[in-house]
């Protein structure tokens, strides 16, 4: 049977969103419900994918199907397309499965040409109205289909008004509008080298093609990437008989929500304009009336409309966003859909709907977008101030929230300014661990280089600080104390604002409002916890982050990166001594200085986590990261340690690597210097002994995690040191205490040999940052430089460092799970790369049977909700 590509509204229904798109399916559903919907047909999403498969052309058979349905619509409406006596005019709108603001605008009044307009004027007894409709159509069609900017037409209108000495469009009469049409067409011909298409059928096909094309415009691609919408879905096209809200004083048009989309309040919310077409409401030239006023203007229509609102909300069991038109006193519904809403409203509406008995708590969990919870946990811009703000550039939305502050270029300045009570935005080419203190006091962090797993991004997310990374358009003049972005020069001390949820940067101050979490948030989280089977842990290296995560519901620490602990002023010195040691004895002396400090760190973390599981990862980064780079710092170190500058420089040179991320790091450090692993083991175990002794009812069982393992013998070698050290300490302690030793799976070879690795490792934690980096073979720090081209050229749909590549990296993970369990059936499995806070990755982790995900503290609520959704969708 051949595929059907075009459906009359009466042939579809609300469950056909995949095929008809959201708008088309809902128009069909409303038609079936007997609501007053101008009739029409939907060209399916499959026709769109066919269009691309066929090399961007509409197959003649689909073209024929479109015209067959057009003929049926003519039958239904009693009007004829392109007919000079009783013409059918249509609107053409895009409509994907998920509503996508990045796509094509609406085209209204399609079907008009020089002849049709004459009869249209006669039929409506309104020449001015007819020509106004015609000129709007030419303008929209040229803009949307032919890419001739609307503003150029506006200029023609302005010139005509000036010539006539009037100010308002409404001061132009029918003859003026006729002249305007002639001018528009002449302008079109001049720009396009051809006449404006007069044949309505050509107009229709061109409009349909334009909708299909808009599926792949850069805005739509960007929107899809941000919202995890696959490029393969395609969009549908809705062709609907026109009704006119601008026919006179008994006509009008408006939009309304069944509840307030900003606050969630259960009260009709919306606005309308009499004698206007939809675009007038949006354009803001005239100020629309509040929907409640319609009761006074047209009581019967208002009553009918509010009844329909109730019917629709009861039917869809969710807040509806509707468009309507009144034509000569008769109400028509042009659209309904589940309304977009703020996260705050989403929570309120979900809870209210549960209380009203409209939906179950399970449905409430499914309805909430996990990523939207971010907005409740971080400061946001004041909405009215944001409206007038200008974006000067954008980078990666690396850590959510809004920030406003004065630009500083050095971490030390950030600290100094913040101590004076200034709010600062730390702007750097890229950040390094040395910048921690400055990052900690900043409102926001802006970097020129670096991707979603760059130092800046990872650390900022951990702290819950807003961060935009990889804003490559910045021309940085750090030494001179300024940068240039979007043509604006920003000097040290100037105010900028940035949004870590969108990646936008603004060259001005925009006030922010604080986040607030209320009772509804907790209710939603309780429901989520009821359904999820995955545990949610956090990545935290300080008691402060750990406590924050517990407040958000973390059930343990999945990754404590110990290296961050060595950067603070009081310890970097001992760390450097350790690195600069020439003999094992010297190194042990330095390590002995680090031991009590590190033990104190771990005690703080165990205390903060109150007996919840804690995974501590041993030292991971290349050692050169701990050494100074600036001349003055090297000189200071030389003085402090009584070592010549030359000698320090020699060590720095000797540690230089061409590929540090694939170099001397991770467990390789402990293979060369087992004493480092021994010191860290002592710190972990002694701290646990102390905390267990202090809290007799607790049972802290430290989980020691060896990073960057690719070979079983390598793991065994380091583990032997760990076990020997730990067992001796426990034997001496006089208490019974357990600990486990596991590994990160972050090198492809570890995944491939996971059966062997699991003979030694009691748990696996997927380090999906490195696993992605090493599987793709591109650097997590540099890939941002070229990945944009991969999105625009549709090679990748999303950032593999933010959303797990389930096809490749995921295959390695799945393999590692199966192999690992084959030798150790009770192997504990988690993920601790940045992907652990991404909802689509969490669903994958649920499916392959991990026990937990671990993410930065502010993502814990997102992970709880995403885990619940995964469990409901894919029961195990
Ligand atoms: C990882 O590689 O995914 C990981 C968690 O370790 P890091 O980011 O510290 O390399
Ligand atoms: Mg790693």
């Amino acid at each position: 049977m051949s595929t059907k590509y075009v459906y009359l509204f009466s042939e579809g229904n609300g469950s056909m969103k995949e095929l008809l798109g959201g708008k088309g399916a809902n128009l069909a559903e409303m038609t079936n419900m007997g609501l007053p919907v101008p009739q029409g047909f939907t060209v399916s999403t499959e026709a769109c994918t066919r269009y691309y498969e066929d090399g961007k052309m509409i197959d003649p058979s689909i073209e024929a199907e479109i015209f067959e349905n057009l003929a049926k619509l003519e039958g239904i409406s009693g009007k004829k397309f392109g007919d000079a006596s009783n013409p059918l005019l249509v609107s053409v709108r895009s409509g994907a499965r998920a509503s996508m603001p990045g796509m094509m605008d609406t085209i209204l009044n399609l079907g008009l040409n020089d002849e049709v307009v004459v009869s249209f004027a006669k039929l409506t007894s309104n020449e001015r109205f007819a020509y106004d409709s015609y000129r709007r159509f030419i303008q929209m069609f040229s803009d949307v289909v032919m890419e001739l900017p609307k503003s150029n037409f506006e200029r023609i209108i302005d010139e005509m008004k000036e010539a006539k000495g009037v100010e308002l469009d409404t001061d132009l009469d029918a003859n003026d509008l006729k002249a305007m049409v002639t001018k528009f067409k002449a302008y079109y011909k001049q720009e396009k080298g051809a006449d404006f298409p007069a044949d309505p059928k050509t107009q229709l096909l061109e409009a349909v093609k334009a909708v299909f094309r808009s599926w792949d415009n850069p805005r739509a691609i960007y929107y899809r990437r941000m919202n995890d919408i696959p490029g393969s879905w395609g969009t549908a096209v809705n062709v609907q008989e026109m009704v006119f809200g601008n026919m006179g004083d008994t006509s009008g048009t408006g939009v309304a929500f069944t509840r307030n989309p900003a606050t969630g309040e259960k009260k009709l919310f919306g606005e309308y304009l009499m004698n206007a077409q939809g675009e007038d409401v949006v354009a803001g030239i005239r100020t629309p009336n509040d929907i409640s006023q319609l009761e006074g203007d047209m009581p019967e229509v208002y009553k009918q409309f509010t009844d329909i609102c109730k019917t629709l909300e009861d039917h869809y069991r969710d807040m509806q966003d509707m468009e309507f038109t009144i034509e000569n006193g008769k109400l028509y519904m042009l659209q309904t859909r589940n309304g977009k809403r703020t996260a705050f409203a989403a929570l309120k509406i979900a809870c209210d709907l549960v209380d009203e008995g409209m939906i179950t708590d399970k449905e409430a969990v499914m309805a909430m977008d996990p990523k939207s919870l971010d907005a409740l946990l971080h400061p946001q811009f004041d909405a009215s101030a944001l409206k007038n703000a200008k974006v000067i550039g954008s980078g990666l939305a690396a850590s959510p929230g809004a920030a406003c502050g004065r630009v500083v270029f050095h971490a030390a300045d950030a600290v100094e300014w913040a101590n004076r009570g200034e709010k600062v935005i730390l702007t750097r080419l890229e950040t390094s661990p040395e910048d921690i203190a400055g990052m900690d006091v900043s409102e926001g962090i802006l970097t020129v280089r670096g991707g979603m797993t760059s130092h800046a991004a990872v650390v900022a997310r951990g702290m819950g600080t807003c961060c935009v990374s990889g804003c490559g358009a910045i021309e940085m003049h750090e030494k001179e104390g300024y940068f240039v972005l979007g043509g604006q020069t920003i000097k040290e001390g100037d105010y900028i604002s940035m949004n870590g949820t969108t990646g936008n940067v603004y060259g001005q101050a925009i006030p922010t409002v604080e986040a607030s979490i209320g009772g509804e948030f907790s209710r939603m989280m309780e429901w989520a916890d009821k359904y999820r089977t995955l545990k949610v842990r956090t990545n935290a290296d300080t008691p402060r982050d750990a406590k924050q995560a517990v407040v958000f519901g973390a059930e343990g620490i999945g990754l404590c990166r110990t290296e961050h602990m060595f950067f603070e002023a009081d310890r970097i010195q001992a760390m450097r001594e350790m690195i600069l040691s020439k003999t094992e004895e010297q190194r042990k002396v330095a390590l002995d200085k680090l031991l009590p400090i590190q033990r104190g760190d771990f005690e703080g973390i165990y205390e903060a986590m109150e007996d919840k599981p804690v995974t501590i990862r041993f030292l991971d980064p290349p050692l050169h990261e701990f050494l100074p780079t600036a001349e003055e710092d090297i000189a200071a170190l030389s003085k402090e340690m009584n070592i010549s500058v030359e000698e320090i420089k020699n060590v720095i040179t000797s540690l230089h690597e061409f590929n540090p991320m694939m170099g001397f790091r991770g467990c390789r450090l402990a293979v060369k210097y087992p004493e480092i692993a021994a010191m860290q083991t002592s710190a972990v175990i002694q701290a646990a002994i102390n905390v267990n002794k202090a809290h007799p009812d607790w049972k802290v069982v430290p989980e020691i995690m060896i990073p960057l393992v690719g070979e079983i013998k390598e793991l065994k070698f380091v583990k032997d040191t760990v076990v020997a050290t730990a067992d001796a300490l426990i034997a001496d302690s006089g208490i019974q205490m357990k600990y486990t030793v596991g590994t990160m799976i972050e090198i492809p070879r570890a995944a491939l040999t996971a059966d062997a690795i699991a003979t030694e490792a009691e748990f696996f934690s997927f380090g999906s940052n490195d696993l992605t980096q090493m599987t793709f073979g591109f650097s997590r720090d540099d890939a941002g430089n070229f990945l944009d081209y991969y999105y625009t050229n549709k090679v990748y749909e999303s950032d593999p460092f933010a959303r797990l590549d389930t096809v490749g990296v995921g295959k390695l993970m799945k393999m590692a799970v199966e192999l690992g369990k084959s030798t150790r059936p009770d192997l504990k499995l988690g993920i601790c790369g940045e992907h652990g806070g991404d909802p689509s990755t969490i669903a994958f982790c649920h499916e392959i049977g991990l026990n937990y995900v671990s993410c930065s503290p502010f993502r814990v609520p997102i992970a709880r909700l995403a885990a619940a959704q995964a469990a409901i969708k894919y029961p195990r």
Side-chain angles (χ1 to χ4, degrees), residues 696-750:
D697 52 330
W698 288 9
K699 262 202 186 68
V700 175
V701 179
E703 299 168 355
I704 293 175
M705 180 154 77
I706 314 297
L708 225 71
V709 164
E711 156 62 44
I712 172 66
K713 290 195 199 115
E714 187 179 41
L715 172 62
K716 171 93 170 65
F717 180 87
V718 181
K719 188 181 164 188
D720 284 349
T721 300
V722 170
V723 171
T725 313
D727 287 355
L729 287 168
I730 295 171
D732 282 352
S733 72
I735 64 163
Q736 297 270 326
M737 197 191 87
K738 285 202 180 122
Y739 67 94
T740 58
V741 183
T743 183
M744 298 194 66
I745 302 288
E746 51 184 344
I747 287 192
R749 194 176 186 282

Side-chain angles (χ1 to χ4, degrees), residues 17 277 485 798:
K17 286 202 171 70
Q277 229 172 17
L485 180 61
S798 59

Side-chain angles (χ1 to χ4, degrees), residues 80-88 111 113-123 200:
K80 255 186 127 39
F81 204 49
D83 190 74
S85 56
N86 189 17
L88 171 68
N113 59 27
D114 288 353
E115 280 106 58
V116 171
V117 73
V118 176
S119 60
F120 188 53
K122 269 196 211 121
L123 276 172

Side-chain angles (χ1 to χ4, degrees), residues 467-656:
C467 173
V468 172
S469 67
C471 183
I474 289 183
E475 258 177 60
M476 191 65 150
H477 302 271
E478 207 175 86
K479 279 215 176 85
E480 295 80 10
Y482 74 95
F483 71 82
V484 183
L485 180 61
Q488 195 168 329
T489 301
I490 309 276
K491 295 195 290 294
E492 184 185 62
D494 287 352
Y495 274 98
I496 62 167
S497 303
M498 51 189 246
N499 186 340
T501 312
T502 62
N504 285 342
V505 181
Y506 305 83
Q508 67 200 83
I510 309 172
T512 55
V513 286
E514 280 308 311
S516 63
I517 24 177
E520 274 133 4
F521 180 84
S522 313
R523 262 184 104 188
M524 181 63 78
M525 287 297 116
E526 271 167 33
W527 292 332
D529 291 348
K530 198 163 92 184
Y531 293 107
R532 74 188 158 92
T533 53
L534 267 177
K535 297 263 180 222
V536 177
R537 294 195 187 187
T538 191
N539 296 356
D541 339 312
T542 63
R544 188 189 71 172
D545 288 358
K547 278 192 190 132
Q548 177 70 74
V550 171
V551 170
F552 288 149
E555 296 163 294
I557 288 183
L559 173 65
C560 172
R561 290 179 167 103
T562 50
E563 55 271 17
H564 292 167
M565 299 169 168
F566 294 126
F567 279 100
E568 276 164 42
D570 58 337
R571 23 196 104 176
I572 187 85
Q573 173 74 5
M575 190 67 189
R576 286 171 176 169
E577 271 177 42
M578 195 272 295
I579 295 168
L580 291 165
S581 298
K582 290 204 202 81
T583 63
E584 197 178 318
E585 282 67 44
Q586 273 181 340
R587 195 167 307 107
K588 281 196 169 142
V589 171
L591 285 167
D592 281 346
K593 289 187 195 166
L594 287 169
L595 174 61
I597 303 176
Q598 179 116 93
R599 184 172 57 222
D601 291 333
F602 296 145
E603 283 169 359
I605 287 196
Y606 295 143
E607 291 282 351
M609 292 308 287
E610 297 178 354
D611 208 18
K612 297 181 181 62
V614 175
T615 303
I616 291 169
R617 181 187 69 188
F618 279 8
L619 196 65
D620 184 60
L623 294 182
H624 74 87
E625 284 193 11
F626 298 96
L627 293 176
T629 47
E631 287 291 335
E632 61 264 33
D633 295 342
I634 295 174
L637 182 63
S638 131
K639 218 162 152 198
E640 270 163 30
M641 291 190 60
N642 208 10
I643 305 178
S644 72
V645 165
E646 204 188 348
E647 213 172 310
I648 297 180
K649 285 194 176 167
N650 281 344
V651 174
I652 295 175
T653 315
S654 74
L655 288 174
H656 170 81

